[in-house]
Amino acid sequence: MRKLLILSGLILYSTFIFAQSAITGKITDIKTGVPISGVSVKIRSSNKGTTTDNQGSFKIQANANDVLEISAIGYKTQSVKVGALSDITIALEQNLTDLGEVVVTGNRGSPRVRTESPVPVDIVKLNSLEQTTSAPNLESQLNMAVPSFNYNKQSGADGSDAIDFASLRGLGYDQTLVLVNGKRRHLSAFVNEFGTRGRGNSGTDLNAIPEAAIDRVEILRDGASAQYGSDAIAGVINIILKKDVNKLYAVIGVSGYNDPTYNTLNNVDPSQYYTGSKIDGQTMKIDLNYGLPIGKNGGFINIGANFLTIGKTFRALPDTNWSTNPGSKKVAPYIAEYRRAFGDGSIISGGAMYNAEIPLAGSKTTFYSFGGYNYKHSNVYAWTRNFYDHPEKYPTDAGGNLLFVPSIMRVFDPSPGVLDTANVYYNPQEDVYIKDISLAAGFRGTVGNNWDWDLSNVIGYNNFHYYGNKTFNATLPENVVATQNRFDDGGFNFLQNTTNLDVSRRFNSIAHGLTFSFGLEFRYENYKIFDGEEASYASYPPTQKYYPITGDTRDVASGSQGFPGFRPSDEVNASRTNVGGYLEGSLDVTEKWLVDGALRLENYSDFGFVNTYKFATRYKLSDNFNLRGSVSTGFRAPSLQQINFSNINTNIVAGSLQYIWLAPNTSAVAKAAGIPPLKQETSVNYSLGFAWKPVNNFTVTVDGYLIKLKNRIIFSGQFSATDSVLAPYIPATPPLNSVQFFANAVNTTNEGVDIVLEYNKRWGKKGIKLLFAGNIQTITIDKINIPAPLNDTYFDRQTFFSTREQAFLIASAPHTKFSMNLEYDINQFAVGTHLTYYGKLSTQGYGYSTQAGAQPGEAGGAGVSDAGLGYDPYVELDNGTGTVPENFVFNPKMTTDLYLSYKISKNVSWIIGVDNIFNVHPDISATAGAKNASWGDSESGGPFDAVQMGYNGTRLWTNLVLHF
């Protein structure tokens, strides 16, 4: 009997021990309380396991004596013995060493360690970068940290002065897709026009997102159209917003430029130029971030805000008299007569962005939302108007005599008591007001057998409004022409609404794990141009006047000088829709071999159907060496801006101020010129590289790429408005000089290699951080797709896309760019430096002399009647012995930034620094040996072009950083 009782007890005990029961649980972040999805929950004694859903919840069958291992990338692993537990709540602690390497961009499964991704992804933590530089916005900060990221500040380029775009791998601004929290962000309504880099491109205004709201930026440097859709030819920039709660973060910074060489105050005769102060470009920024918890299930709302004000800068050569100074340039009367106000415009900007999540109690669903508002006002100077050269652009009386306006006009070398009208000039100003609004909302959760779903809607709106300021419409009646100095020039806006459904599931039982995803997308876009007030564009009688100063009769210049207003004929209200779907899979074939694949189908209501694919793979040759590569196809839909944009603007061509009509692609004049309707740009992308971690805390990644791009959309050249074929379709007023178009004109090859070295080490109270990011690249024009009607003669072919325009496309990015960020800290002190090397690039002028490449008998051949249009541009040598190509060569340069920080307390840090400490500038925009003829013939018309490190020189700055 006793033996029977013992046997019965053993059976009951073993039943208790080995009987499995359902264990449920939830896993959250220990600091924020936010549920963590994709956490691995495994039974230590077996291969059985599961992962958490979007609510951080899991369910698993386990015995009482089993031990669960809880692990997630970026968090410390925990072990939990089941025992009598049936419901478990676990809070994971972040592993700070690993967390910085986790990426979510480029895959829809669980996050990956950056070095184990099959494609290169950069991670930029905004807080640390923002604090150690005077760079006032997101794009200028990323320019220091990402190898093939390029950004140039414009001057004298109308709306391009007011908004900044950036590019990856030497491609266009609109060939990089921008996401926020993984959701597509809207484009700007603006299109780059004359005198700009990236002309013909739109782009996303990254600076409309306050840096204080951003946790990190993940930059996928690889084609990703099959995964994310249009625009992702060069890659993807994914901005991840903060989720912090009960933490106050603030940065208060001031800065200013000290350029002892090129500040206009240092000119031989400063009165010739607009001037500011010795320390100009004075900047103040305030960034704030704070978060609050919502409910008891890990909900939160985080808000980041910024305010920024930047003053103008004024730059000119100290001496332009080349006869007495061999290093200078000559323009009679020894001044930069077309750019007396060259430099950055002023900016006042402010905005906020929020990020929120609310798990729904008693369910596996989370509501989330994010969005923001940004306002920017920019004031910039247009090109100078000189009365002796262009009296038709001034207010005059019936006899063509100047009506002098002392509050706007200036006089060169005024004689006491005498107004020398031959020396009067003024600079029109352009006020640009930009409003940017975005709102995203959605639900995500888990349904059925661990199927994760995400349903969202994102709407974005960008409005661009121009005003002419301190300028004139010379055709207004004599009683108001001198007094109406401000004009509403109109503008444009763009709205984008995107609805997405994304579904994915992880199958642990297939090979070593398969993540399968699919989704649908519907996108609606609307683009509008609205006209300005009548006086901003109109021409009033008399349309011609005799001007005594020039001794001839001229057409009086109509419209607001600087930026003529949009006309009723420019107005447009265009919309389109897009429907797309994708399939995506990520398979761990073995523990070492990962394979990714994606297929996407899309249909646009205006130009039709496209499809793309991608294959990527990574193989672990060893525990610390991963080989990776990809091949993909990509596309970029022509934007509504490119299809519909139209306006009449002014530009300096070969020293002459001209009216140029950018005609819409849908216009009759475009059809007459043989310009076909715009279609999508397409690409084939190849990449191959490796990620290597030779020792702890040191990572090396090297990735080569090759991008074959067809049908790139560009501006055509400028066709004469008097051409017999085009003239019937040209507006009568103002008297136009030329017309140009958007066209699918060019096939290119971009190839290069990105190199990133990263080292982080701490010992005791000391630490060192090193980041080296390098890019070596080339851009080749493979083919120019000239429409048949424009392919008859060399002249026509050059008009369509001249050698000058080809040079600017090739100069989209320097051949080499290397940056190194180094910081050493000990106790409360830290010292650091940013070194940035910009490689050589070159552009061309318009050309004043014979176009040597033209064939005899063709326009531009034997004479100079067509000079200045960029056809094989040549200029005369200063010594009069012949002509040379008008090449502007910008040799390699390196800038050095230095900063010192002191931790005043646990919560307060003070940082001071000097950027570009050696006052390095790009080379002057002039042709060696031909300074007299080429000076002022550059893209900007000033001493410098928008290349490399900018032209403002040394910047002094300080930041106060608060953490509470």
Side-chain angles (χ1 to χ4, degrees):
M1 184 65 176
R2 183 179 180 183
K3 290 181 179 181
L4 181 60
L5 290 173
I6 293 173
L7 180 60
S8 300
L10 289 173
I11 292 173
L12 290 173
Y13 177 74
S14 60
T15 301
F16 172 77
I17 292 296
F18 295 105
Q20 290 188 330
S21 59
I23 308 298
T24 59
K26 186 171 185 177
I27 301 176
T28 62
D29 184 292
I30 195 171
K31 289 186 176 180
T32 66
V34 174
I36 309 172
S37 63
V39 178
S40 173
V41 181
K42 289 187 176 181
I43 299 174
R44 179 182 293 175
S45 59
S46 69
N47 291 324
K48 295 180 180 180
T50 187
T51 57
T52 58
D53 59 22
N54 285 331
Q55 295 298 311
S57 300
F58 69 91
K59 183 176 182 179
I60 192 171
Q61 296 289 328
N63 297 319
N65 63 341
D66 282 334
V67 175
L68 302 182
E69 287 193 346
I70 316 297
S71 62
I73 296 175
Y75 291 88
K76 294 180 179 180
T77 299
Q78 287 192 27
S79 299
V80 178
K81 187 171 182 179
V82 173
L85 298 174
S86 60
D87 187 71
I88 304 172
T89 299
I90 301 169
L92 293 184
E93 181 181 356
Q94 295 179 359
N95 184 330
L96 297 179
T97 302
D98 293 337
L99 187 60
E101 296 187 347
V102 177
V103 297
V104 296
T105 308
N107 72 93
R108 288 184 168 85
S110 300
R112 292 173 177 158
V113 173
R114 175 172 59 90
T115 54
E116 295 189 356
S117 171
V119 293
V121 183
D122 299 299
I123 302 174
V124 181
K125 295 290 287 185
L126 254 291
N127 282 4
S128 59
L129 183 60
E130 178 192 23
Q131 295 167 17
T132 60
T133 178
S134 65
N137 53 48
L138 177 59
E139 289 177 355
S140 55
Q141 292 168 17
L142 294 176
N143 198 41
M144 299 185 300
V146 181
S148 54
F149 187 95
N150 288 285
Y151 151 86
N152 296 107
K153 184 68 179 174
Q154 307 277 359
S155 179
D158 296 321
S160 297
D161 289 19
I163 191 169
D164 303 318
F165 296 130
S167 66
L168 290 175
R169 293 187 163 177
L171 294 179
Y173 298 144
D174 46 15
Q175 290 163 340
T176 298
L177 176 63
V178 176
L179 310 174
V180 176
N181 284 350
K183 307 298 181 182
R184 176 182 287 266
R185 185 165 173 85
H186 60 280
L187 292 174
S188 166
F190 179 73
V191 176
N192 284 286
E193 295 184 71
F194 313 109
T196 68
R197 313 309 298 275
R199 67 196 84 204
N201 295 164
S202 187
T204 303
D205 186 4
L206 296 177
N207 295 334
I209 303 173
E211 298 99 288
I214 302 172
D215 175 67
R216 67 187 186 278
V217 180
E218 298 183 357
I219 300 181
L220 169 64
R221 290 180 279 112
D222 193 55
S225 295
Q227 297 165 286
Y228 297 105
S230 177
D231 305 348
I233 289 178
V236 175
I237 297 175
N238 190 10
I239 297 171
I240 310 298
L241 302 179
K242 289 180 179 177
K243 298 182 177 182
D244 295 341
V245 296
N246 296 324
K247 294 180 181 180
L248 174 66
Y249 170 77
V251 177
I252 303 169
V254 294
S255 65
Y257 291 103
N258 178 29
D259 186 353
T261 304
Y262 296 107
N263 188 312
T264 51
L265 288 171
N266 298 310
N267 191 268
V268 172
D269 184 4
S271 67
Q272 298 291 338
Y273 298 94
Y274 287 74
T275 58
S277 59
K278 287 290 185 180
I279 304 294
D280 62 5
Q282 296 174 6
T283 299
M284 181 183 72
K285 70 173 184 177
I286 301 174
D287 291 343
L288 299 170
N289 181 271
Y290 191 72
L292 293 169
I294 298 177
K296 300 180 180 180
N297 297 307
F300 69 88
I301 182 169
N302 182 279
I303 300 175
N306 79 311
F307 173 78
L308 175 68
T309 176
I310 302 176
K312 291 184 175 69
T313 63
F314 299 91
R315 297 294 178 266
L317 297 181
D319 180 9
T320 56
N321 189 345
W322 74 288
S323 63
T324 59
N325 179 2
S328 67
K329 316 290 176 287
K330 175 185 175 183
V331 173
Y334 309 126
I335 54 172
E337 59 179 349
Y338 290 113
R339 292 309 309 271
R340 298 176 190 254
F342 173 85
D344 289 351
S346 63
I347 292 174
I348 298 176
S349 176
M353 198 158 197
Y354 76 93
N355 185 31
E357 293 185 11
I358 304 175
L360 303 184
S363 72
K364 296 182 177 182
T365 302
T366 295
F367 168 78
Y368 62 87
S369 181
F370 56 88
Y373 173 84
N374 184 262
Y375 166 86
K376 179 190 285 187
H377 169 219
S378 174
N379 178 272
V380 301
Y381 282 109
W383 290 55
T384 307
R385 270 64 173 169
N386 299 284
F387 187 69
Y388 70 85
D389 190 37
H390 289 289
E392 72 275 14
K393 301 181 185 301
Y394 276 73
T396 56
D397 61 19
N401 300 302
L402 175 67
L403 299 175
F404 187 72
V405 182
S407 62
I408 296 176
M409 300 176 191
R410 299 188 176 199
V411 185
F412 162 61
D413 192 20
S415 300
V418 178
L419 175 61
D420 184 359
T421 57
N423 293 320
V424 172
Y425 66 92
Y426 79 97
N427 256 91
Q429 296 180 15
E430 296 169 14
D431 279 325
V432 177
Y433 298 87
I434 306 173
K435 295 179 181 178
D436 196 281
I437 305 170
S438 63
L439 176 65
F443 292 89
R444 63 171 180 260
T446 302
V447 66
N449 192 13
N450 291 325
W451 286 93
D452 295 327
W453 58 272
D454 188 328
L455 178 64
S456 65
N457 190 84
V458 183
I459 188 169
Y461 174 80
N462 182 263
N463 188 80
F464 222 88
H465 200 148
Y466 288 94
Y467 287 83
N469 191 40
K470 295 189 176 181
T471 186
F472 308 99
N473 178 345
T475 70
L476 284 168
E478 187 173 336
N479 62 328
V480 297
V481 66
T483 57
Q484 183 170 353
N485 308 132
R486 185 173 175 83
F487 302 86
D488 181 347
D489 293 332
F492 35 81
N493 54 58
F494 177 69
L495 181 143
Q496 176 181 286
N497 189 86
T498 307
T499 303
N500 285 94
L501 173 64
D502 300 295
V503 180
S504 66
R505 185 188 170 187
R506 176 74 176 178
F507 297 90
N508 292 317
S509 59
I510 299 178
H512 282 252
L514 167 69
T515 299
F516 173 69
S517 307
F518 64 90
L520 299 172
E521 178 176 289
F522 176 80
R523 190 161 71 249
Y524 169 82
E525 297 175 340
N526 176 259
Y527 176 68
K528 295 179 181 178
I529 297 177
F530 51 94
D531 64 347
E533 64 177 291
E534 183 181 83
S536 72
Y537 59 80
S539 177
Y540 301 96
T543 58
Q544 290 188 330
K545 279 186 183 181
Y546 174 80
Y547 295 99
I549 194 170
T550 58
D552 59 10
T553 299
R554 300 187 177 192
D555 292 322
V556 185
S558 62
S560 170
Q561 287 299 303
F563 189 89
F566 288 95
R567 300 161 178 266
S569 59
D570 294 323
E571 283 190 305
V572 69
N573 186 351
S575 300
R576 73 176 175 198
T577 58
N578 159 253
V579 179
Y582 71 89
L583 298 173
E584 185 176 341
S586 178
L587 177 66
D588 289 292
V589 182
T590 68
E591 290 183 354
K592 296 183 177 181
W593 186 19
L594 170 68
V595 174
D596 280 358
L599 171 67
R600 191 178 191 93
L601 307 175
E602 298 206 23
N603 188 70
Y604 284 77
S605 61
D606 53 352
F607 71 86
F609 174 81
V610 292
N611 66 89
T612 52
Y613 69 84
K614 180 169 185 176
F615 173 82
T617 187
R618 181 225 69 214
Y619 190 81
K620 297 176 69 68
L621 294 178
S622 66
D623 289 340
N624 64 349
F625 191 95
N626 296 327
L627 186 66
R628 60 194 184 188
S630 70
V631 59
S632 64
T633 59
F635 80 99
R636 193 192 73 82
S639 67
L640 288 178
Q641 294 90 315
Q642 291 172 320
I643 296 171
N644 297 282
F645 185 78
S646 169
N647 86 322
I648 295 173
N649 208 335
T650 54
N651 195 23
I652 299 291
V653 178
S656 175
L657 193 63
Q658 300 191 1
Y659 283 96
I660 302 169
W661 180 30
L662 176 55
N665 181 254
T666 56
S667 64
V669 69
K671 292 180 175 63
I675 305 296
L678 293 182
K679 59 184 177 181
Q680 70 270 23
E681 301 170 332
T682 60
S683 72
V684 180
N685 295 46
Y686 306 91
S687 72
L688 181 64
F690 66 84
W692 180 37
K693 198 165 186 176
V695 295
N696 287 336
N697 307 311
F698 182 44
T699 303
V700 179
T701 64
V702 178
D703 294 276
Y705 59 89
L706 175 68
I707 305 171
K708 304 286 288 186
L709 184 57
K710 292 184 178 181
N711 299 316
R712 289 187 68 164
I713 298 173
I714 52 87
F715 274 166
S716 75
Q718 298 167 10
F719 294 83
S720 173
T722 60
D723 182 278
S724 60
V725 175
L726 305 182
Y729 307 98
I730 301 294
T733 57
L736 295 177
N737 299 94
S738 57
V739 61
Q740 62 183 155
F741 314 94
F742 287 99
N744 291 103
V746 184
N747 297 355
T748 61
T749 297
N750 291 53
E751 54 187 331
V753 60
D754 291 333
I755 305 166
V756 180
L757 311 177
E758 191 170 3
Y759 180 72
N760 294 283
K761 175 71 174 178
R762 294 210 62 81
W763 62 99
K765 295 184 178 181
K766 303 175 183 178
I768 188 169
K769 298 177 183 178
L770 169 67
L771 173 64
F772 173 88
N775 172 251
I776 304 169
Q777 64 89 36
T778 60
I779 304 172
T780 305
I781 295 178
D782 303 320
K783 181 183 178 183
I784 301 175
N785 308 310
I786 305 175
L790 304 177
N791 202 15
D792 291 339
T793 66
Y794 182 83
F795 175 78
D796 284 342
R797 290 191 290 272
Q798 282 287 304
T799 301
F800 182 70
F801 198 59
S802 68
T803 51
R804 180 180 190 271
E805 292 302 314
Q806 295 173 43
F808 271 95
L809 181 62
I810 293 172
S812 298
H815 293 304
T816 54
K817 177 190 164 191
F818 302 121
S819 62
M820 185 175 73
N821 304 330
L822 177 64
E823 180 180 283
Y824 174 77
D825 68 270
I826 178 171
N827 297 321
Q828 291 92 354
F829 290 92
V831 61
T833 183
H834 304 298
L835 304 175
T836 309
Y837 172 90
Y838 301 89
K840 180 179 178 180
L841 56 80
S842 62
T843 60
Q844 290 188 318
Y846 288 98
Y848 287 91
S849 188
T850 305
Q851 282 70 57
Q855 300 170 9
E858 294 183 342
V864 296
S865 60
D866 294 295
L869 295 180
Y871 311 154
D872 301 314
Y874 275 64
V875 288
E876 295 179 359
L877 288 166
D878 293 333
N879 58 19
T881 59
T883 61
V884 294
E886 191 179 20
N887 296 327
F888 301 142
V889 178
F890 306 99
N891 289 299
K893 297 292 178 72
M894 185 174 77
T895 60
T896 304
D897 307 339
L898 184 67
Y899 64 88
L900 175 68
S901 73
Y902 174 67
K903 199 166 187 178
I904 299 173
S905 69
K906 178 182 178 182
N907 305 113
V908 181
S909 297
W910 179 42
I911 310 171
I912 58 172
V914 182
D915 289 353
N916 195 0
I917 193 171
F918 299 113
N919 202 38
V920 177
H921 294 76
D923 288 327
I924 299 298
S925 300
T927 300
K931 299 170 184 175
N932 183 23
S934 65
W935 171 237
D937 199 31
S938 69
E939 191 79 351
S940 70
F944 306 108
D945 268 2
V947 297
Q948 299 167 313
M949 74 293 299
Y951 45 75
N952 283 315
T954 300
R955 178 183 258 173
L956 313 173
W957 61 273
T958 183
N959 289 335
L960 184 67
V961 182
L962 308 175
H963 291 274
F964 289 99

